[in-house]
Amino acid sequence: MAPSSVVVTIDKSSNISLVEVDDSETSVFLEKQKTASTKQFSWLLLLKAQRILSFFPWITMGFSKTFLSVKKRIALSDSIKDEVKYKEKIMYRFIRAFLAISIFALCVEVFAYFQNWDLNFIPNEAMGLLHLSYMGWISFRAEYIAPSITMLSHFCVLLFLIQSLDRFILGIGFFWIKFKKIKPVINIDDQSYDLEDPSTFPMVLVQIPMCNEREVYQQSIAAACQLDWPKDRILIQVLDDSSDEVLQILIRNEVNLWQEKGVNIIYRHRFVRTGYKAGNLHSAMSCDYVKNYEFVAILDADFQPNPDFLKLTVPHFKGKPDLGLVQARWSFVNKDENLLTRLQNINLCFHFEVEQQVNGHFLNFFGFNGTAGVWRIKALEESGGWLERTTVEDMDIAVRAHLHGWKFIYLNDVRVLCELPESYEAYKKQQHRWHSGPMQLFRLCLPAIISSKISKWKKMNLIFLFFLLRKMILPFYSFTLFCVILPLTMFIPEAELPIWVICYVPVTMSILNIIPSPKSFPFLMPYLLFENTMSVTKFNAMISGLFQLGSAYEWVVTKKTGRSSESDLLAFAERESKSFNEEKIQRRLSESGLEMLGKLKEQETPAVNEKKKNKIYRRELALAFLLLTAAARSLLSAHGIHFYFLLFQGLSFLVVGLDLIGEQVN
């Protein structure tokens, strides 16, 4: 046989049964080939490992930059000052205690995980003391703690489903209105106002309440003065509650300028600022000349109505003596400014297009928005006028007018431009007032609602839907279910929440909320996470308003930036012409120029030294670490969707707690 031959025995032509290699050189060749293949595979693994490891410097650099920015944000923040003036510290202490217990529980669970303790193993003498203690804790929590957590979670889930059903019914009403193209119409039985005879137009009072609104007073006064209505049938009241003397002079001068142009406008300032906005409006309505007017339009300082605002709203009162309020919709000039304004726009679009439109059509009642509405003065007087007992004077007068039988109309097609808060600080304070005020009002109005002469259905709507479900239950279950029970169930898995509670139903409701603003669909998940994040502020405000705790009666004017629409800019460009500016400067110098110049210099000096800072919100940060701790526990037990929800919700709280959402300060 040849030295390099290979003998192959074949039983069948299609089947090889034996291969023999008789040459040692061939064996060496195969060994070398095998070694080469192993080396190639090793080099391939090393190459892939190098590519994977190349990402670590980039990730490390990103984390280091983030850590440095967070460290700088904490060092430069004035969170201590901000937290001291709020007295609601009970919740913060509860969250801190919950966080400490969760971190301890996570350490125990990690230790048990790496010790491979079998939870189903029957205790015996071979177990150590720690193992026996851990097994005793498992038995105790399953028998005593889990049932109470399960009961609370079932109660919150029930409230969640009831509130979701309410949203679903509102959505059906919204689609019905859109499908049928239902809109409020003007009574055609009465003749329209004669444009050639101004005496046929009703007398309208326009009120602009403001308080230290330096950024927006000019554009709000200009928009009101350009309303298309007979000059002798309208009076504009600028109700200035400003504490800044220089700003008072500026606003008074602005009013004088429009008076010189023939506009019927007056300036009113209260020396004693009591009752906030309600006290301001009440003081203005007590003037003797108000009895000559039939309607009053209320426009907050940042609202810019179109010139035809009164002609689109006031005619709806004709032939409807029981109609007390015509409410226009808000439209936002800065809705695309940042992520915070985009998320607010989703919420408010649902509020206006769904809640108010459906309630206005089917019930003739909704909560007055405090501005961009026209009231029949008789309805205000019969309902008791503006009261200073709560921080939601608009909702207060709406409920009392409803109890007296007055009807409301909502006009979704009439829109008034305004601003959204661009910083989280301003938005948080606004939401605190909006959620503590209704609870104050509920305590005060409940006896009047029960004893009123309206139908039982309207009483049930006011008590259970308007107040309890939409103002109290919503923040209660949102905070309790997603910020307390869910992380708690990670350490007490016997009371675990089902996936549909934390995923399917919330996503479905978020989709329903976002339908009125379809361009916001890319922000669906941030909206869901942010709403859960805001539940802490809303829950705290609801509790403080219900039990009169802390800053329940605190009123903070929402910060404005003075953004204007294109039409407003053109109007201001025309108004601020060169000759007009010269006249304005001369008149100011002749009246109070030296005094105002001195005060401006006094105010500008400390303003240069004072630096604005972003804030740190400790309550949100504590909840962020709590949820991230629960996410780590969920990862150990491979909970899947629970882990991802807790992770992203914790990151959402972290972003908000570090004030990284909304307007940023360099």
Side-chain angles (χ1 to χ4, degrees):
M1 183 177 292
S4 60
S5 62
V6 177
V7 178
V8 180
T9 304
I10 302 176
D11 295 338
K12 295 182 180 180
S13 60
S14 61
N15 190 11
I16 300 176
S17 62
L18 177 64
V19 177
E20 292 184 3
V21 179
D22 294 337
D23 188 15
S24 60
E25 293 182 2
T26 304
S27 301
V28 172
F29 172 76
L30 292 176
E31 288 292 336
K32 290 182 178 180
Q33 189 175 12
K34 182 178 179 181
T35 304
S37 300
T38 304
K39 289 182 178 180
Q40 289 178 356
F41 182 70
S42 301
W43 281 109
L44 180 62
L45 290 179
L46 289 175
L47 181 61
K48 290 185 177 181
Q50 183 183 7
R51 291 178 179 177
I52 294 173
L53 291 174
S54 64
F55 286 101
F56 280 93
W58 179 80
I59 295 174
T60 305
M61 185 179 297
F63 273 110
S64 63
K65 288 183 177 180
T66 304
F67 177 76
L68 290 175
S69 63
V70 169
K71 184 179 179 181
K72 184 179 179 181
R73 172 64 57 85
I74 295 175
L76 296 177
S77 68
D78 51 354
S79 59
I80 298 178
K81 296 179 182 179
D82 183 66
E83 292 286 347
V84 167
K85 64 181 180 180
Y86 288 99
K87 299 180 181 179
E88 299 90 347
K89 296 182 179 180
I90 298 177
M91 178 182 290
Y92 178 57
R93 291 172 180 171
F94 165 75
I95 295 173
R96 283 196 308 176
F98 193 5
L99 174 61
I101 295 172
S102 299
I103 293 176
F104 175 76
L106 178 62
C107 295
V108 173
E109 295 290 345
V110 170
F111 181 79
Y113 178 81
F114 284 103
Q115 290 293 324
N116 294 320
W117 286 347
D118 188 359
L119 303 184
N120 298 320
F121 192 77
I122 301 175
N124 54 50
E125 297 179 356
M127 286 184 174
L129 180 61
L130 288 177
H131 196 175
L132 286 172
S133 301
Y134 181 73
M135 294 299 296
W137 156 247
I138 296 298
S139 177
F140 176 79
R141 80 184 186 191
E143 187 172 354
Y144 296 102
I145 300 180
S148 59
I149 300 298
T150 302
M151 286 182 60
L152 179 60
S153 64
H154 287 170
F155 177 67
C156 291
V157 169
L158 178 62
L159 297 179
F160 181 29
L161 293 177
I162 293 174
Q163 196 270 338
S164 300
L165 179 62
D166 174 60
R167 290 291 177 101
F168 183 71
I169 293 174
L170 287 174
I172 293 176
F174 166 72
F175 284 115
W176 178 260
I177 291 174
K178 288 293 183 182
F179 177 72
K180 292 291 185 178
K181 298 181 180 179
I182 300 173
K183 296 180 181 179
V185 294
I186 299 173
N187 194 340
I188 60 176
D189 294 336
D190 292 306
Q191 295 182 355
S192 301
Y193 304 129
D194 188 358
L195 298 178
E196 298 180 358
D197 185 8
S199 62
T200 61
F201 284 70
M203 298 287 285
V204 177
L205 182 67
V206 178
Q207 295 179 334
I208 310 176
M210 59 177 63
C211 179
N212 297 325
E213 308 277 7
R214 181 183 292 270
E215 297 82 7
V216 295
Y217 75 91
Q218 285 183 314
Q219 64 193 45
S220 62
I221 294 175
C225 292
Q226 294 173 20
L227 288 172
D228 187 9
W229 203 256
K231 300 300 181 182
D232 59 340
R233 313 295 291 178
I234 186 175
L235 173 63
I236 300 172
Q237 287 182 316
V238 178
L239 311 177
D240 182 26
D241 261 5
S242 300
S243 58
D244 187 344
E245 294 182 4
V246 174
L247 185 57
Q248 294 173 22
I249 297 174
L250 293 175
I251 297 175
R252 188 183 295 112
N253 287 340
E254 189 72 19
V255 170
N256 292 336
L257 288 175
W258 286 102
Q259 285 178 343
E260 293 174 2
K261 299 181 74 173
V263 177
N264 193 11
I265 182 173
I266 60 174
Y267 173 85
R268 295 188 82 254
H269 175 74
R270 295 192 302 162
F271 292 101
V272 180
R273 183 176 177 253
T274 58
Y276 303 112
K277 181 180 176 181
N280 198 0
L281 293 173
H282 177 76
S283 174
M285 293 299 293
S286 63
C287 297
D288 293 336
Y289 54 78
V290 172
K291 62 184 179 182
N292 299 323
Y293 292 84
E294 187 177 357
F295 304 104
V296 56
I298 301 174
L299 299 168
D300 280 355
D302 60 317
F303 279 71
Q304 308 161 41
N306 292 327
D308 60 352
F309 171 73
L310 293 178
K311 289 188 174 180
L312 294 175
T313 54
V314 175
H316 285 274
F317 289 97
K318 290 183 69 67
K320 302 171 185 174
D322 58 346
L323 181 60
L325 168 67
V326 174
Q327 173 72 60
R329 179 183 170 170
W330 298 2
S331 183
F332 310 108
V333 69
N334 61 337
K335 62 182 179 181
D336 297 325
E337 182 64 26
N338 54 46
L339 178 60
L340 179 62
T341 58
R342 291 177 184 272
L343 299 178
Q344 291 179 67
N345 181 59
I346 296 173
N347 245 345
L348 291 172
C349 280
F350 181 85
H351 170 70
F352 288 113
E353 286 210 29
V354 180
E355 287 186 0
Q356 292 211 304
Q357 190 170 204
V358 171
N359 290 328
H361 174 70
F362 292 102
L363 301 176
N364 296 120
F365 167 73
F366 47 83
F368 175 47
N369 296 322
T371 179
V374 181
W375 277 93
R376 190 188 296 271
I377 294 180
K378 183 181 178 181
L380 291 177
E381 293 174 347
E382 288 188 0
S383 303
W386 300 103
L387 299 181
E388 305 170 10
R389 56 183 183 173
T390 70
T391 58
V392 283
E393 77 294 327
D394 45 7
M395 186 182 294
D396 189 359
I397 188 64
V399 171
R400 285 185 281 117
H402 181 58
L403 295 179
H404 281 78
W406 292 98
K407 295 182 179 180
F408 303 164
I409 283 180
Y410 175 74
L411 303 178
N412 191 57
D413 294 336
V414 181
R415 307 195 175 199
V416 181
L417 279 176
C418 63
E419 285 188 27
L420 290 167
E422 296 184 9
S423 67
Y424 179 69
E425 178 188 7
Y427 180 63
K428 182 177 181 179
K429 291 177 179 179
Q430 180 198 70
Q431 292 299 303
H432 186 278
R433 177 168 59 86
W434 284 7
H435 286 81
S436 65
M439 292 297 98
Q440 304 166 18
L441 182 61
F442 178 65
R443 292 174 55 257
L444 297 171
C445 282
L446 184 59
I449 294 174
I450 295 174
S451 61
S452 65
K453 297 180 181 180
I454 61 176
S455 64
K456 293 182 179 179
W457 160 245
K458 290 184 177 180
K459 290 181 181 180
M460 291 179 60
N461 173 67
L462 271 177
I463 296 174
F464 295 105
L465 293 181
F466 187 76
F467 279 113
L468 291 180
L469 185 61
R470 297 168 188 167
K471 302 299 187 298
M472 183 164 65
I473 290 178
L474 177 59
F476 170 77
Y477 86 74
S478 183
F479 171 74
T480 307
L481 192 61
F482 297 108
C483 299
V484 177
I485 295 179
L486 180 59
L488 192 60
T489 57
M490 294 300 100
F491 300 97
I492 307 176
E494 294 83 1
E496 181 179 338
L497 290 174
I499 294 179
W500 62 268
V501 173
I502 65 172
C503 182
Y504 302 144
V505 176
V507 170
T508 303
M509 290 299 104
S510 298
I511 292 174
L512 184 62
N513 285 5
I514 217 168
I515 284 177
S517 53
K519 293 183 180 179
S520 302
F521 262 98
F523 302 95
L524 176 65
M525 294 311 297
Y527 169 72
L528 174 61
L529 296 173
F530 182 70
E531 280 301 291
N532 290 336
T533 304
M534 285 304 300
S535 65
V536 185
T537 298
K538 296 176 182 179
F539 177 82
N540 185 63
M542 182 267 292
I543 294 296
S544 63
L546 189 62
F547 298 102
Q548 296 180 298
L549 302 174
S551 55
Y553 287 91
E554 182 184 30
W555 180 295
V556 179
V557 177
T558 305
K559 176 193 168 186
K560 315 293 192 311
T561 60
R563 300 187 185 277
S564 301
S565 63
E566 184 177 354
S567 59
D568 298 314
L569 293 175
L570 293 175
F572 280 116
E574 180 182 357
R575 182 170 61 86
E576 299 292 338
S577 60
K578 182 177 180 180
S579 60
F580 194 68
N581 277 333
E582 291 176 357
E583 178 185 355
K584 183 177 180 180
I585 293 172
Q586 290 177 1
R587 187 178 58 76
R588 284 182 176 176
L589 289 176
S590 62
E591 292 182 358
S592 56
L594 294 177
E595 180 186 0
M596 186 172 66
L597 183 61
K599 291 181 178 179
L600 280 172
K601 288 183 178 180
E602 291 177 2
Q603 287 193 352
E604 287 176 357
T605 302
V608 174
N609 298 327
E610 183 180 356
K611 293 184 179 180
K612 184 181 175 184
K613 303 173 183 177
N614 287 99
K615 298 183 180 296
I616 295 295
Y617 300 97
R618 297 184 296 175
R619 197 162 47 204
E620 282 78 0
L621 281 180
L623 269 170
F625 294 129
L626 170 64
L627 291 169
L628 292 176
T629 302
R633 173 64 182 89
S634 176
L635 184 63
L636 287 178
S637 54
H639 273 87
I641 193 66
H642 296 73
F643 164 73
Y644 293 107
F645 182 87
L646 288 166
L647 174 63
F648 289 112
Q649 189 64 71
L651 294 176
S652 175
F653 270 102
L654 186 63
V655 168
V656 172
L658 294 174
D659 198 9
L660 296 174
I661 188 172
E663 180 187 39
Q664 295 294 298
V665 180
N666 295 325

